[in-house]
Amino acid sequence: MNENKQKKRRRRENAGIIEEKTGENQGGVKTKELKEILTSLILLEDQEKNEQEEFAKANREERIQFEENQKKKTCTMMDYYSKFQESYKDLDQIDGVRRRKTRADALAVAIGALTVENSVSISDENSIDNRGNIAARTGVGPGRRLWVKNRSTDWWDQCNSPEFPEDEFKRAFRMGKSTFEMICNELSSVVAKENTMLRDAVPVKQRVAVCIWRLATGEPLRLVSQRFGLGISTCHKLVLEVCSAIRKVLMPKYLQWPDEENVRRIKDEFEAISGIPNIVGAMYTTHIPIIAPKNSVAAYFNKRHTERNQKTSYSITVQGVVDPRGVFTDVCIGWPGSMPDDQVLEKSALNQRANAGLLEGVWIVGGSGYPLMDWVLVPYSQQHLTWTQHAFNEKIGEIKMITKEAFARVKGRWTCLQKRTEMKLEDLPVVLGACCVLHNICELRNEEMEPELDFELVDDEMVPEIGLRSANAMKARETIAHNLLHHNHTGTSFMS
């Protein structure tokens, strides 16, 4: 009996020991699995961290490389501009030295001729023969006053000929002969110069032609010089003189804010187009490319054009208001290209006119780059529009298209506005103003553009930070939009 009890006790003890060992083995397996899982998670975290560090490092390297490339491009542009300016300075110096030398030679010849005349005046026929011989030896003739480099004027002589075809003349100068003659007659009193003892003055027609051909083609002064048979510096001077004369004489006649009678006509024409009453103009701002200026480079840097063209761009702005025919009634020229449309508007004389109370009860239509004001009517800019708002935006878009097409014709007709020019920054407002005046003259005289001159206008509009600047204007816009929809002035494209 005792032996059986002892055997049973030993069996129970052995079974307990086996169960303990089995439990320990199972617990060890679970611990091992947990350790493997934790190790895997740690490895995944390390791998993800390494990938993020590599990605951040790659981004930093790309950004550094982009900044270095931009710096190199900027330095290259500045070097190019400096060399360009130096070359023009050298040309001006050479031309100045040549003129001084020419004047000195002419003075010496004149003194020599005077001496010869005094010395032979006491003689008779023999002395006259001697004088002719002396003049032949010294190169002094009765019709010669100053040595001038011989340049061919054949091309201009052909253009100035009555037999020159009208269509070819219009292709060269963007206007017909009658319009060109009218401009010459208007500017004659300001542009004309008198002949001197040293040389004959450049005729008025040739002076005006040099300027207009340069604006129309945008060709460099070297080619202008070859076309008209004049010096490079002379052509540059003539362009600025004629543009200044256009601004002084023609701008007061052809680019002015309309009087009461014309304001009524403009209101009626815009209302016939859009159904919106009391519109006196459509406004748009475009950019003119320039070479990087020496001072205030950042102010003229055009970020939007640079990003779109992938090329460093600098520009100045031209803000214009047009009537239903696309004729400019107001322009604001020369503010730096980094300024958005609403800031250019704040700086303009148009805004000063409004602040003085001269635009009460009327609207000037602008795009989404302008704020809604008591006198500026702009489209709705939020994403989700009602039918009423969409219909209103359609009509505003039709009016905006008038001014956009007007600017497209300006840039298409005067090609110098499409590319960067070597003109000085301070001279550009006068030149751009002359282009706007000449555009008005061509539009008023129905000078049609050739199809190949069509220009696609691209300007980026930035919604202003404060788009609504008048509660009264917001209510007035809602009323106009409601009236358009419920009086059948809107189209149906927004319903499709």
Side-chain angles (χ1 to χ4, degrees), residues 362-415:
V362 298
W363 294 108
I364 293 178
V365 172
S368 57
Y370 299 102
L372 178 65
M373 303 170 69
D374 289 331
W375 54 280
V376 180
L377 191 62
V378 299
Y380 292 95
S381 58
Q382 65 264 29
Q383 291 184 350
H384 303 291
L385 302 176
T386 65
W387 281 6
T388 303
Q389 294 170 345
H390 195 112
F392 174 83
N393 282 5
E394 274 193 344
K395 290 301 178 182
I396 292 295
E398 292 177 6
I399 298 175
K400 178 185 170 184
M401 188 58 62
I402 295 173
T403 180
K404 190 172 181 180
E405 289 176 351
F407 270 108
R409 290 196 297 276
V410 170
K411 288 190 174 183
R413 184 176 276 129
W414 312 116
T415 312

Side-chain angles (χ1 to χ4, degrees), residues 95-375:
D95 197 55
V97 171
R98 186 183 296 129
R99 286 198 301 268
R100 289 194 295 272
K101 184 177 179 182
T102 302
R103 290 171 185 165
D105 293 342
L107 183 60
V109 170
I111 293 173
L114 183 62
T115 303
V116 169
E117 289 178 358
N118 290 335
S119 63
V120 300
S121 59
I122 59 175
S123 302
D124 48 10
E125 296 177 356
N126 292 331
S127 65
I128 295 175
D129 295 338
N130 291 334
R131 192 189 331 173
N133 294 333
I134 294 172
R137 289 196 304 270
T138 57
V140 179
R144 183 169 182 175
R145 292 190 289 260
L146 179 66
W147 179 87
V148 178
K149 181 180 179 180
N150 291 324
R151 294 184 174 92
S152 174
T153 60
D154 291 344
W155 183 82
W156 165 241
D157 292 338
Q158 291 178 4
C159 293
N160 196 32
S161 171
E163 291 79 19
F164 194 71
E166 177 76 14
D167 56 343
E168 292 187 23
F169 187 93
K170 188 173 183 178
R171 190 175 297 111
F173 297 98
R174 308 297 193 257
M175 62 184 69
K177 292 183 179 180
S178 61
T179 302
F180 179 80
E181 292 282 351
M182 183 274 292
I183 294 174
C184 291
N185 294 334
E186 292 274 4
L187 299 179
S188 178
S189 60
V190 179
V191 173
K193 304 293 182 182
E194 295 182 355
N195 297 338
T196 66
M197 293 295 295
L198 298 179
R199 68 174 71 187
D200 293 335
V202 179
V204 171
K205 280 189 176 181
Q206 190 173 3
R207 288 173 176 269
V208 176
V210 167
C211 177
I212 292 180
W213 193 79
R214 163 83 160 137
L215 299 180
T217 62
E219 296 291 356
L221 292 171
R222 174 178 54 82
L223 294 182
V224 181
S225 170
Q226 294 175 0
R227 287 278 186 173
F228 291 90
L230 300 171
I232 292 177
S233 60
T234 301
C235 292
H236 177 67
K237 183 179 178 182
L238 289 179
V239 170
L240 296 181
E241 285 182 354
V242 174
C243 285
S244 298
I246 291 173
R247 184 176 184 178
K248 179 180 178 182
V249 177
L250 298 181
M251 184 173 282
K253 295 182 179 180
Y254 296 98
L255 202 163
Q256 285 296 311
W257 191 255
D259 54 22
E260 293 184 3
E261 181 181 352
N262 285 318
V263 164
R264 287 193 295 270
R265 174 186 59 81
I266 291 172
K267 285 181 180 180
D268 293 340
E269 292 179 4
F270 271 126
E271 187 170 2
I273 294 171
S274 65
I276 302 175
N278 298 323
I279 296 177
V280 296
M283 179 167 52
Y284 189 83
T285 299
T286 190
H287 289 256
I288 306 299
I290 62 172
I291 296 174
K294 291 184 177 180
N295 300 321
S296 304
V297 177
Y300 293 90
F301 176 69
N302 193 318
K303 181 180 178 181
R304 289 157 287 171
H305 285 198
T306 299
E307 291 174 348
R308 186 176 64 250
N309 301 329
Q310 295 297 310
K311 184 178 181 181
T312 305
S313 301
Y314 300 89
S315 66
I316 63 173
T317 61
V318 179
Q319 173 190 283
V321 179
V322 303
D323 66 10
R325 297 174 293 177
V327 174
F328 288 101
T329 57
D330 182 89
V331 290
C332 177
I333 301 171
W335 289 104
S338 63
M339 292 178 61
D341 296 351
D342 60 320
Q343 292 184 15
V344 175
L345 177 61
E346 291 175 0
K347 301 285 187 181
S348 66
L350 185 66
N351 189 51
Q352 296 177 9
R353 183 182 288 115
N355 292 336
L358 301 178
L359 296 178
E360 290 183 1
V362 298
W363 294 108
I364 293 178
V365 172
S368 57
Y370 299 102
L372 178 65
M373 303 170 69
D374 289 331
W375 54 280

Side-chain angles (χ1 to χ4, degrees), residues 419-466:
K419 48 191 175 183
R420 293 180 296 182
T421 176
E422 69 272 14
M423 289 184 184
K424 295 180 181 179
L425 191 60
E426 56 267 26
D427 294 332
L428 278 178
V430 175
V431 175
L432 298 180
C435 289
C436 293
V437 173
L438 292 173
H439 163 83
N440 280 5
I441 293 174
C442 291
E443 293 291 314
L444 293 171
R445 294 177 66 89
N446 299 318
E447 295 284 356
E448 296 183 358
M449 284 178 54
E450 298 292 332
E452 62 267 18
L453 298 178
D454 290 343
F455 180 77
E456 183 180 359
L457 190 65
V458 179
D459 286 295
D460 303 306
E461 291 183 336
M462 294 180 60
V463 177
E465 295 180 0
I466 305 176

